Amino acid sequence: MPLGQRAGDKSDSRFSGVEVLDFPAGECLPAVLSHSLSSGFDFLLAPLVDPAYRPTPGAVLPVAASDLVLGPSQWSSHIVGKLSEWIDLDAEDEQLRLDSELTLKQEVAWASHLSLQACVLPTPRRSSCGNYARVVNQILQGLTNMQLWLRLPLEKSEPMDGDHDKVKNSDHMTEMDDSWELWNSFRLLCEHSSQLCVALDISSTLPSMNSLGRWFGEPVRVAILQTNAFLTNARGYPCLSKRHQKLMTGFFNHSVQTGCSQVMKATMKKMDPLPEQERFEINYRDFLQSPLQPLMDNLEAQTYETFEKDIVKYTQYRRAVAKALVDRVPDDSVSTTKTVLMVVGAGRGPLVKASLQAAEETGRKLKVYAVEKNPNAVITLHSLVKLEGWESVVTIISSDMRCWNAPEKADILVSELLGSFGDNELSPECLDGAQRFLKPDGISIPSSYTSFIQPITASKLHNDIKAHKDIAHFETSYVVKLHRIAPLSPPQPVFTFNHPNYTPNASNQRYTKLQFDMPPDMGSCLVHGFAGYFDSVLYKDVHLGIEPSTATPNMFSWFPIFFPLRKPIYVPLGSPIEAHFWRCCAPTKVWYEWAVTTPSQSPIHNSNGRSHWVGL
Amino acid sequence: MPLGQRAGDKSDSRFSGVEVLDFPAGECLPAVLSHSLSSGFDFLLAPLVDPAYRPTPGAVLPVAASDLVLGPSQWSSHIVGKLSEWIDLDAEDEQLRLDSELTLKQEVAWASHLSLQACVLPTPRRSSCGNYARVVNQILQGLTNMQLWLRLPLEKSEPMDGDHDKVKNSDHMTEMDDSWELWNSFRLLCEHSSQLCVALDISSTLPSMNSLGRWFGEPVRVAILQTNAFLTNARGYPCLSKRHQKLMTGFFNHSVQTGCSQVMKATMKKMDPLPEQERFEINYRDFLQSPLQPLMDNLEAQTYETFEKDIVKYTQYRRAVAKALVDRVPDDSVSTTKTVLMVVGAGRGPLVKASLQAAEETGRKLKVYAVEKNPNAVITLHSLVKLEGWESVVTIISSDMRCWNAPEKADILVSELLGSFGDNELSPECLDGAQRFLKPDGISIPSSYTSFIQPITASKLHNDIKAHKDIAHFETSYVVKLHRIAPLSPPQPVFTFNHPNYTPNASNQRYTKLQFDMPPDMGSCLVHGFAGYFDSVLYKDVHLGIEPSTATPNMFSWFPIFFPLRKPIYVPLGSPIEAHFWRCCAPTKVWYEWAVTTPSQSPIHNSNGRSHWVGL
């Protein structure tokens, strides 16, 4: 359940809160809460313990309000605990360190008792915070539901109390001026705990968009607008700069809640409702699915149903077939030439339909073979042909295209065997098999396809995979609607397949080494894995695909693919990422292996397809 | 079973072999082997397949000799296979890559068929060898017993076929000139496979000793002396330079076998036999033991027996007690003063004996209380007192020192509660408890102890821990006789405890952050964990300890301790290592947590003592 209780869509980013700066002792808290709720806010970020308190043997913790002052659901839905800001676990002073440890543990225990959903950890006072991380990590081991949000400035404006000089690493200063570095170091020490999140303080100045963008792949739970982040507009009301508005929209789109640093009724711009397609996809956001095994498994009716609804995709196929028909049959031969078109993997018939539409459009005569290996789909195909009256045009073949003995050769071979990563559903192997019954000058639609990858930050995906506690899940590729991720460098092509392919001894094994460069103003980053896409040339200039820069609009048949890394790789400012992708083939299976070699070496993932493979 | 069959001690480094440079086809191999054995060598490094062969469909692999030419035990004890050197898995030419992959797999399959113990992989031809590593990694997944030794020059003399220019990382060139970098990158890609080892080519020039030293922590299986590594002495015989001799002695001491690059009867200097202590310790080399839990468990007679044999240790105690007695009782008070000395943790009595000897030596009168919690040891103590006629001097107390109600207070408290890491067997907690019955001006022997750590390369220890396939074993500290390790930086002090300790609210929690700098001529390195030691001041200038630079000679009661890292950390040339060690205390247990924050962040190990702790 997200914080706040307003009606709305399923996104938890529509809620906003207010930070209480003073200490609302005793009966004061309900009043502050009630005022804030009536001002349109959803939750309070409030101190839980008197900031003047220091641990004293035998003393009772001076809490802001007894647990009876608010009801249990009020505590849990409307209060985020703010832990004492004097806490300094990496102080030189040993007594202050020990007091800080005791107080932090006591306050978190109190917050747990109140069933709060989250507490905000004070901003680290130093760039080196090993002891702070150790104490937080100990607390995290014992927490069941509550989250801890580490509060960090989006941009570090003031120098931290410094132990900079103790570290000799030359570019350490620059790195540590970037609060993302602090976050990264903290969460690595805490083993990527899924309950450790971020609360970002937004002030008047903002770093570059590339630097900001990294946070979209991190578990940022709230963006806290400081008073100085607001400008005053012509009428004297507070407003946000264009860049701040853009940032807040970005956070909104990545499901981050907002808060203000003091009681000020900020008029948050009303966001547009989600478009139809996104509403459909919202339940799939960052949800990891295993890719289909269409060769080994027969698809279910439900799956056909979903894919057949993708009008955009079949429009592209219709356009491609039409162009191929026109190229193949000159206008003056239309009445004398019949084109043999074979749909391999016809499913329940959408490509047959698209092809016949193309023939009608262009006035070309068609003889269609619809080859399908799933006997259940074949039943539907027969009904369709009968229903549409295509008996004289369409021949249905219930067979695997790789072993069908075709009675004649085809002019055009049409297929839709592509996966999110292009060749990952074994289109190359299937079409190699079908190529036997294509005429030497015949056309394959698609005529080629290329996979793409790009490195991304995706802490949520990493944590979801880590929850399985095994290596196999980190060596599997997933189909996933990417949402809370940060792309780090533009996608690059990986493997290309062309059809038909008459190269002798052609192999479908592939190896590609890629180098990704990061924008120079982005800062360092953490790579959790690679997002994968494809683009396919159906015929000449008709393509379809999901590679972001050229993606076919409004097509929903494919989500991206995600190749995780067993251990996320830190990429220091200025370093490229060198990645290796292999497509390996054995007699009964095909699989990918992948590895990173720069800036540091990952193990080679999925050796021999031990964790994940696609069956032939 | 090590390669070769000579009688000798248990070290496998006494064996040496010869590399066969030409292709010994057919019946030639037995002749070469027999000649080499009679020349005093133990094994041959020989090509298995005709180097002129390239994969041809239907061709039979042109092997050097059929498996019938040598007997099974000859193949396995005397032949190391040399895989074809033309193999180039990272060539630009795709066909060459595919041929290389096929041949490598065929040759290894043939070597497995022959039950060879090892094959030597050809030296990588390029600094970037991702595809080579991928193929080797695939092979390693399926190997049961055979090892693969990656052949590398100790120092790279000639530039490799280069794709240097493709990598932008500024200091990449320098790093890649160091063959250790190539090894490190290769083994990281292959997940530290325990069957992937190193064969080092030694030529005329050698890098610095610090650079060489790193290899002592790596799985180097053979050092191959190239012809140009030999000098010619005054009599015209081949000999080795002083530096080469020192290196070979180092390899010998780290159980690395030797080989020569061609058939040349090198007179290897006869090594001295192992001294007594090392002979005793040889079975413990790199064998990981869990530290004792002397508070929770009672030691066995066997354990007491072993420790009591450590004459050096008790001599130091005798000297310390003697000095304390002389300080405490002036010569003119000798006849009137009786010193109350309590041995806390008396065991079977060695410290009682040492104390009484000290009293006799110095002519001081003693009243001894021997406090021991283990009732079995108390039985032995009673026999000892009777046997030695100490009844009037020694009172035996069967009790835990932490709860004994002493009838009087002690002048001197003597204990030996130290573990390999000083405080790790809870000496601080025990002595805090015993301090109640020490006079305000009383003396504790030991009066202080300090733990030390240093980062080390220890690939064998890493692999042994990894074999457990869990995190807990990587979060445990081990007592271990370190052998195949490379220390990377001198040890530094971690925690110090002083006794007696009258500081109010004194805590036995500790936190220390350490920075280790590496010798500038060492190159980059990989840290598998930290070796730990202790030094203890017994009294004034009498100390005992195992910290290498000040270790008490010929004392064998303590092996070092080892704190592993879950994932080894790569330390680039010039970067320091920043490590954090915590000693944490709860009512019933004490544990360590540790982490590295520079050059990169490890997780915090053993949070809340979840994997390893010492019970109070």
Side-chain angles (χ1 to χ4, degrees), chain A residues 174 178 181 207-212 214 488-490 516-525 571-576, chain B residues 168:
Chain A
T174 359
D178 177 1
E181 295 280 355
S208 73
M209 271 314 289
N210 281 320
S211 168
L212 288 173
R214 292 172 302 170
L488 301 171
S489 188
F516 295 95
D517 294 302
M518 259 54 66
D521 61 347
M522 189 181 75
S524 308
C525 62
V571 184
L573 179 68
S575 167
Chain B
K168 287 183 184 166

PDB file of all heavy atoms in Angstrom, chain A residues 174 178 181 207-212 214 488-490 516-525 571-576, chain B residues 168:
ATOM      1  N   THR A 174      36.491  14.627  -6.700  1.00  0.00           N
ATOM      2  CA  THR A 174      35.437  14.853  -7.680  1.00  0.00           C
ATOM      3  C   THR A 174      34.328  13.836  -7.517  1.00  0.00           C
ATOM      4  O   THR A 174      33.153  14.177  -7.525  1.00  0.00           O
ATOM      5  CB  THR A 174      35.997  14.715  -9.121  1.00  0.00           C
ATOM      6  OG1 THR A 174      37.383  14.442  -9.029  1.00  0.00           O
ATOM      7  CG2 THR A 174      35.713  15.933  -9.924  1.00  0.00           C
ATOM      8  N   ASP A 178      29.829  14.144  -5.797  1.00  0.00           N
ATOM      9  CA  ASP A 178      28.610  13.672  -6.441  1.00  0.00           C
ATOM     10  C   ASP A 178      27.899  12.775  -5.427  1.00  0.00           C
ATOM     11  O   ASP A 178      28.430  11.752  -5.019  1.00  0.00           O
ATOM     12  CB  ASP A 178      29.034  12.892  -7.689  1.00  0.00           C
ATOM     13  CG  ASP A 178      27.857  12.267  -8.420  1.00  0.00           C
ATOM     14  OD1 ASP A 178      26.712  12.446  -7.966  1.00  0.00           O
ATOM     15  OD2 ASP A 178      28.106  11.599  -9.437  1.00  0.00           O
ATOM     16  N   GLU A 181      27.676   9.020  -5.700  1.00  0.00           N
ATOM     17  CA  GLU A 181      28.801   8.190  -5.264  1.00  0.00           C
ATOM     18  C   GLU A 181      28.607   7.723  -3.833  1.00  0.00           C
ATOM     19  O   GLU A 181      28.902   6.587  -3.483  1.00  0.00           O
ATOM     20  CB  GLU A 181      30.123   8.973  -5.332  1.00  0.00           C
ATOM     21  CG  GLU A 181      30.555   9.370  -6.720  1.00  0.00           C
ATOM     22  CD  GLU A 181      31.231   8.206  -7.475  1.00  0.00           C
ATOM     23  OE1 GLU A 181      31.437   7.136  -6.887  1.00  0.00           O
ATOM     24  OE2 GLU A 181      31.521   8.409  -8.653  1.00  0.00           O
ATOM     25  N   PRO A 207      22.083  19.484 -11.096  1.00  0.00           N
ATOM     26  CA  PRO A 207      23.150  19.023 -11.989  1.00  0.00           C
ATOM     27  C   PRO A 207      22.601  18.782 -13.402  1.00  0.00           C
ATOM     28  O   PRO A 207      21.411  18.982 -13.661  1.00  0.00           O
ATOM     29  CB  PRO A 207      23.616  17.722 -11.346  1.00  0.00           C
ATOM     30  CG  PRO A 207      22.502  17.264 -10.473  1.00  0.00           C
ATOM     31  CD  PRO A 207      21.678  18.468 -10.124  1.00  0.00           C
ATOM     32  N   SER A 208      23.462  18.334 -14.295  1.00  0.00           N
ATOM     33  CA  SER A 208      23.050  18.114 -15.690  1.00  0.00           C
ATOM     34  C   SER A 208      21.982  17.025 -15.771  1.00  0.00           C
ATOM     35  O   SER A 208      21.848  16.194 -14.880  1.00  0.00           O
ATOM     36  CB  SER A 208      24.267  17.682 -16.510  1.00  0.00           C
ATOM     37  OG  SER A 208      24.613  16.349 -16.167  1.00  0.00           O
ATOM     38  N   MET A 209      21.214  17.008 -16.842  1.00  0.00           N
ATOM     39  CA  MET A 209      20.173  15.994 -17.019  1.00  0.00           C
ATOM     40  C   MET A 209      20.773  14.590 -17.048  1.00  0.00           C
ATOM     41  O   MET A 209      20.186  13.652 -16.529  1.00  0.00           O
ATOM     42  CB  MET A 209      19.374  16.238 -18.313  1.00  0.00           C
ATOM     43  CG  MET A 209      18.163  17.143 -18.147  1.00  0.00           C
ATOM     44  SD  MET A 209      17.097  16.774 -16.698  1.00  0.00           S
ATOM     45  CE  MET A 209      16.333  15.220 -17.212  1.00  0.00           C
ATOM     46  N   ASN A 210      21.951  14.444 -17.632  1.00  0.00           N
ATOM     47  CA  ASN A 210      22.574  13.118 -17.654  1.00  0.00           C
ATOM     48  C   ASN A 210      22.908  12.641 -16.255  1.00  0.00           C
ATOM     49  O   ASN A 210      22.776  11.459 -15.933  1.00  0.00           O
ATOM     50  CB  ASN A 210      23.846  13.144 -18.508  1.00  0.00           C
ATOM     51  CG  ASN A 210      23.529  13.091 -19.998  1.00  0.00           C
ATOM     52  OD1 ASN A 210      22.630  12.368 -20.414  1.00  0.00           O
ATOM     53  ND2 ASN A 210      24.254  13.869 -20.776  1.00  0.00           N
ATOM     54  N   SER A 211      23.344  13.576 -15.428  1.00  0.00           N
ATOM     55  CA  SER A 211      23.668  13.223 -14.056  1.00  0.00           C
ATOM     56  C   SER A 211      22.394  12.863 -13.291  1.00  0.00           C
ATOM     57  O   SER A 211      22.333  11.862 -12.577  1.00  0.00           O
ATOM     58  CB  SER A 211      24.389  14.406 -13.411  1.00  0.00           C
ATOM     59  OG  SER A 211      24.493  14.235 -12.032  1.00  0.00           O
ATOM     60  N   LEU A 212      21.345  13.679 -13.469  1.00  0.00           N
ATOM     61  CA  LEU A 212      20.044  13.415 -12.844  1.00  0.00           C
ATOM     62  C   LEU A 212      19.473  12.066 -13.269  1.00  0.00           C
ATOM     63  O   LEU A 212      18.896  11.332 -12.471  1.00  0.00           O
ATOM     64  CB  LEU A 212      19.029  14.472 -13.278  1.00  0.00           C
ATOM     65  CG  LEU A 212      19.181  15.868 -12.722  1.00  0.00           C
ATOM     66  CD1 LEU A 212      18.180  16.797 -13.399  1.00  0.00           C
ATOM     67  CD2 LEU A 212      18.959  15.828 -11.222  1.00  0.00           C
ATOM     68  N   ARG A 214      20.594   9.251 -13.881  1.00  0.00           N
ATOM     69  CA  ARG A 214      21.018   8.028 -13.186  1.00  0.00           C
ATOM     70  C   ARG A 214      20.065   7.643 -12.059  1.00  0.00           C
ATOM     71  O   ARG A 214      19.896   6.469 -11.743  1.00  0.00           O
ATOM     72  CB  ARG A 214      22.411   8.228 -12.578  1.00  0.00           C
ATOM     73  CG  ARG A 214      23.511   8.359 -13.580  1.00  0.00           C
ATOM     74  CD  ARG A 214      24.797   8.743 -12.889  1.00  0.00           C
ATOM     75  NE  ARG A 214      24.653  10.004 -12.151  1.00  0.00           N
ATOM     76  CZ  ARG A 214      25.548  10.485 -11.301  1.00  0.00           C
ATOM     77  NH1 ARG A 214      26.653   9.819 -11.060  1.00  0.00           N
ATOM     78  NH2 ARG A 214      25.341  11.627 -10.692  1.00  0.00           N
ATOM     79  N   LEU A 488      22.180   4.183 -19.804  1.00  0.00           N
ATOM     80  CA  LEU A 488      23.454   4.853 -19.547  1.00  0.00           C
ATOM     81  C   LEU A 488      24.187   5.267 -20.810  1.00  0.00           C
ATOM     82  O   LEU A 488      25.051   6.132 -20.771  1.00  0.00           O
ATOM     83  CB  LEU A 488      24.345   3.946 -18.697  1.00  0.00           C
ATOM     84  CG  LEU A 488      23.733   3.563 -17.336  1.00  0.00           C
ATOM     85  CD1 LEU A 488      24.554   2.494 -16.649  1.00  0.00           C
ATOM     86  CD2 LEU A 488      23.588   4.794 -16.446  1.00  0.00           C
ATOM     87  N   SER A 489      23.833   4.665 -21.933  1.00  0.00           N
ATOM     88  CA  SER A 489      24.508   4.950 -23.195  1.00  0.00           C
ATOM     89  C   SER A 489      23.574   4.447 -24.296  1.00  0.00           C
ATOM     90  O   SER A 489      22.818   3.504 -24.069  1.00  0.00           O
ATOM     91  CB  SER A 489      25.843   4.182 -23.208  1.00  0.00           C
ATOM     92  OG  SER A 489      26.622   4.549 -24.318  1.00  0.00           O
ATOM     93  N   PRO A 490      23.597   5.059 -25.470  1.00  0.00           N
ATOM     94  CA  PRO A 490      22.646   4.632 -26.508  1.00  0.00           C
ATOM     95  C   PRO A 490      22.839   3.169 -26.905  1.00  0.00           C
ATOM     96  O   PRO A 490      23.946   2.642 -26.823  1.00  0.00           O
ATOM     97  CB  PRO A 490      22.977   5.555 -27.683  1.00  0.00           C
ATOM     98  CG  PRO A 490      23.695   6.710 -27.095  1.00  0.00           C
ATOM     99  CD  PRO A 490      24.424   6.186 -25.908  1.00  0.00           C
ATOM    100  N   PHE A 516      30.760   0.876 -24.944  1.00  0.00           N
ATOM    101  CA  PHE A 516      29.809   1.955 -24.672  1.00  0.00           C
ATOM    102  C   PHE A 516      30.533   3.098 -23.990  1.00  0.00           C
ATOM    103  O   PHE A 516      31.253   2.890 -23.008  1.00  0.00           O
ATOM    104  CB  PHE A 516      28.693   1.459 -23.755  1.00  0.00           C
ATOM    105  CG  PHE A 516      27.835   0.404 -24.381  1.00  0.00           C
ATOM    106  CD1 PHE A 516      28.093  -0.940 -24.171  1.00  0.00           C
ATOM    107  CD2 PHE A 516      26.772   0.758 -25.210  1.00  0.00           C
ATOM    108  CE1 PHE A 516      27.308  -1.922 -24.748  1.00  0.00           C
ATOM    109  CE2 PHE A 516      25.982  -0.223 -25.805  1.00  0.00           C
ATOM    110  CZ  PHE A 516      26.244  -1.563 -25.572  1.00  0.00           C
ATOM    111  N   ASP A 517      30.305   4.298 -24.499  1.00  0.00           N
ATOM    112  CA  ASP A 517      30.853   5.476 -23.839  1.00  0.00           C
ATOM    113  C   ASP A 517      29.719   6.221 -23.154  1.00  0.00           C
ATOM    114  O   ASP A 517      28.613   6.294 -23.675  1.00  0.00           O
ATOM    115  CB  ASP A 517      31.556   6.378 -24.857  1.00  0.00           C
ATOM    116  CG  ASP A 517      32.782   5.681 -25.429  1.00  0.00           C
ATOM    117  OD1 ASP A 517      33.667   5.316 -24.640  1.00  0.00           O
ATOM    118  OD2 ASP A 517      32.821   5.465 -26.660  1.00  0.00           O
ATOM    119  N   MET A 518      30.001   6.746 -21.998  1.00  0.00           N
ATOM    120  CA  MET A 518      28.976   7.450 -21.227  1.00  0.00           C
ATOM    121  C   MET A 518      29.099   8.951 -21.459  1.00  0.00           C
ATOM    122  O   MET A 518      30.196   9.446 -21.716  1.00  0.00           O
ATOM    123  CB  MET A 518      29.162   7.130 -19.749  1.00  0.00           C
ATOM    124  CG  MET A 518      28.225   6.082 -19.194  1.00  0.00           C
ATOM    125  SD  MET A 518      28.222   4.528 -20.076  1.00  0.00           S
ATOM    126  CE  MET A 518      29.873   3.984 -19.733  1.00  0.00           C
ATOM    127  N   PRO A 519      27.972   9.664 -21.359  1.00  0.00           N
ATOM    128  CA  PRO A 519      28.074  11.120 -21.509  1.00  0.00           C
ATOM    129  C   PRO A 519      29.048  11.682 -20.469  1.00  0.00           C
ATOM    130  O   PRO A 519      29.001  11.260 -19.304  1.00  0.00           O
ATOM    131  CB  PRO A 519      26.655  11.621 -21.229  1.00  0.00           C
ATOM    132  CG  PRO A 519      25.769  10.422 -21.302  1.00  0.00           C
ATOM    133  CD  PRO A 519      26.614   9.221 -21.032  1.00  0.00           C
ATOM    134  N   PRO A 520      29.908  12.589 -20.874  1.00  0.00           N
ATOM    135  CA  PRO A 520      30.938  13.064 -19.938  1.00  0.00           C
ATOM    136  C   PRO A 520      30.360  13.790 -18.721  1.00  0.00           C
ATOM    137  O   PRO A 520      31.009  13.854 -17.675  1.00  0.00           O
ATOM    138  CB  PRO A 520      31.805  13.994 -20.785  1.00  0.00           C
ATOM    139  CG  PRO A 520      31.009  14.272 -22.005  1.00  0.00           C
ATOM    140  CD  PRO A 520      30.054  13.153 -22.211  1.00  0.00           C
ATOM    141  N   ASP A 521      29.149  14.339 -18.837  1.00  0.00           N
ATOM    142  CA  ASP A 521      28.599  15.074 -17.689  1.00  0.00           C
ATOM    143  C   ASP A 521      27.692  14.190 -16.829  1.00  0.00           C
ATOM    144  O   ASP A 521      26.953  14.698 -15.988  1.00  0.00           O
ATOM    145  CB  ASP A 521      27.828  16.310 -18.175  1.00  0.00           C
ATOM    146  CG  ASP A 521      26.648  15.918 -19.065  1.00  0.00           C
ATOM    147  OD1 ASP A 521      26.581  14.751 -19.504  1.00  0.00           O
ATOM    148  OD2 ASP A 521      25.791  16.789 -19.310  1.00  0.00           O
ATOM    149  N   MET A 522      27.766  12.866 -17.011  1.00  0.00           N
ATOM    150  CA  MET A 522      26.862  12.007 -16.263  1.00  0.00           C
ATOM    151  C   MET A 522      27.407  11.657 -14.889  1.00  0.00           C
ATOM    152  O   MET A 522      26.669  11.510 -13.930  1.00  0.00           O
ATOM    153  CB  MET A 522      26.600  10.718 -17.038  1.00  0.00           C
ATOM    154  CG  MET A 522      25.512   9.874 -16.425  1.00  0.00           C
ATOM    155  SD  MET A 522      25.237   8.357 -17.345  1.00  0.00           S
ATOM    156  CE  MET A 522      26.664   7.406 -16.864  1.00  0.00           C
ATOM    157  N   GLY A 523      28.719  11.543 -14.790  1.00  0.00           N
ATOM    158  CA  GLY A 523      29.315  11.059 -13.544  1.00  0.00           C
ATOM    159  C   GLY A 523      29.481   9.557 -13.619  1.00  0.00           C
ATOM    160  O   GLY A 523      29.267   8.937 -14.655  1.00  0.00           O
ATOM    161  N   SER A 524      29.877   8.972 -12.497  1.00  0.00           N
ATOM    162  CA  SER A 524      30.042   7.522 -12.434  1.00  0.00           C
ATOM    163  C   SER A 524      28.674   6.862 -12.395  1.00  0.00           C
ATOM    164  O   SER A 524      27.664   7.531 -12.196  1.00  0.00           O
ATOM    165  CB  SER A 524      30.817   7.146 -11.180  1.00  0.00           C
ATOM    166  OG  SER A 524      31.999   7.892 -11.107  1.00  0.00           O
ATOM    167  N   CYS A 525      28.636   5.577 -12.594  1.00  0.00           N
ATOM    168  CA  CYS A 525      27.338   4.901 -12.562  1.00  0.00           C
ATOM    169  C   CYS A 525      27.526   3.435 -12.230  1.00  0.00           C
ATOM    170  O   CYS A 525      28.646   2.930 -12.164  1.00  0.00           O
ATOM    171  CB  CYS A 525      26.616   5.061 -13.893  1.00  0.00           C
ATOM    172  SG  CYS A 525      27.509   4.332 -15.278  1.00  0.00           S
ATOM    173  N   VAL A 571      31.075   1.840 -12.831  1.00  0.00           N
ATOM    174  CA  VAL A 571      31.795   2.429 -13.966  1.00  0.00           C
ATOM    175  C   VAL A 571      32.236   3.828 -13.562  1.00  0.00           C
ATOM    176  O   VAL A 571      31.417   4.737 -13.435  1.00  0.00           O
ATOM    177  CB  VAL A 571      30.902   2.511 -15.219  1.00  0.00           C
ATOM    178  CG1 VAL A 571      31.696   3.031 -16.407  1.00  0.00           C
ATOM    179  CG2 VAL A 571      30.294   1.159 -15.530  1.00  0.00           C
ATOM    180  N   PRO A 572      33.536   4.008 -13.303  1.00  0.00           N
ATOM    181  CA  PRO A 572      33.982   5.336 -12.878  1.00  0.00           C
ATOM    182  C   PRO A 572      33.851   6.345 -14.008  1.00  0.00           C
ATOM    183  O   PRO A 572      33.910   5.977 -15.187  1.00  0.00           O
ATOM    184  CB  PRO A 572      35.438   5.127 -12.478  1.00  0.00           C
ATOM    185  CG  PRO A 572      35.861   3.855 -13.108  1.00  0.00           C
ATOM    186  CD  PRO A 572      34.630   3.031 -13.366  1.00  0.00           C
ATOM    187  N   LEU A 573      33.665   7.573 -13.596  1.00  0.00           N
ATOM    188  CA  LEU A 573      33.613   8.698 -14.524  1.00  0.00           C
ATOM    189  C   LEU A 573      34.697   8.581 -15.588  1.00  0.00           C
ATOM    190  O   LEU A 573      35.866   8.416 -15.265  1.00  0.00           O
ATOM    191  CB  LEU A 573      33.849   9.967 -13.684  1.00  0.00           C
ATOM    192  CG  LEU A 573      33.864  11.314 -14.386  1.00  0.00           C
ATOM    193  CD1 LEU A 573      32.464  11.647 -14.899  1.00  0.00           C
ATOM    194  CD2 LEU A 573      34.320  12.408 -13.413  1.00  0.00           C
ATOM    195  N   GLY A 574      34.302   8.633 -16.858  1.00  0.00           N
ATOM    196  CA  GLY A 574      35.294   8.645 -17.932  1.00  0.00           C
ATOM    197  C   GLY A 574      35.653   7.282 -18.487  1.00  0.00           C
ATOM    198  O   GLY A 574      36.296   7.186 -19.522  1.00  0.00           O
ATOM    199  N   SER A 575      35.260   6.212 -17.792  1.00  0.00           N
ATOM    200  CA  SER A 575      35.597   4.883 -18.300  1.00  0.00           C
ATOM    201  C   SER A 575      34.513   4.389 -19.242  1.00  0.00           C
ATOM    202  O   SER A 575      33.332   4.610 -18.997  1.00  0.00           O
ATOM    203  CB  SER A 575      35.751   3.896 -17.152  1.00  0.00           C
ATOM    204  OG  SER A 575      35.790   2.574 -17.653  1.00  0.00           O
ATOM    205  N   PRO A 576      34.888   3.707 -20.319  1.00  0.00           N
ATOM    206  CA  PRO A 576      33.869   3.064 -21.161  1.00  0.00           C
ATOM    207  C   PRO A 576      33.437   1.745 -20.526  1.00  0.00           C
ATOM    208  O   PRO A 576      34.018   1.296 -19.531  1.00  0.00           O
ATOM    209  CB  PRO A 576      34.612   2.797 -22.462  1.00  0.00           C
ATOM    210  CG  PRO A 576      36.035   2.587 -22.046  1.00  0.00           C
ATOM    211  CD  PRO A 576      36.243   3.456 -20.820  1.00  0.00           C
TER     212      PRO A 576
ATOM    213  N   LYS B 168      40.190   2.790 -24.566  1.00  0.00           N
ATOM    214  CA  LYS B 168      40.532   4.188 -24.299  1.00  0.00           C
ATOM    215  C   LYS B 168      41.115   4.419 -22.911  1.00  0.00           C
ATOM    216  O   LYS B 168      41.747   5.424 -22.655  1.00  0.00           O
ATOM    217  CB  LYS B 168      39.293   5.059 -24.477  1.00  0.00           C
ATOM    218  CG  LYS B 168      38.904   5.225 -25.934  1.00  0.00           C
ATOM    219  CD  LYS B 168      37.722   6.151 -26.058  1.00  0.00           C
ATOM    220  CE  LYS B 168      37.251   6.238 -27.519  1.00  0.00           C
ATOM    221  NZ  LYS B 168      35.939   6.838 -27.624  1.00  0.00           N
TER     222      LYS B 168
END
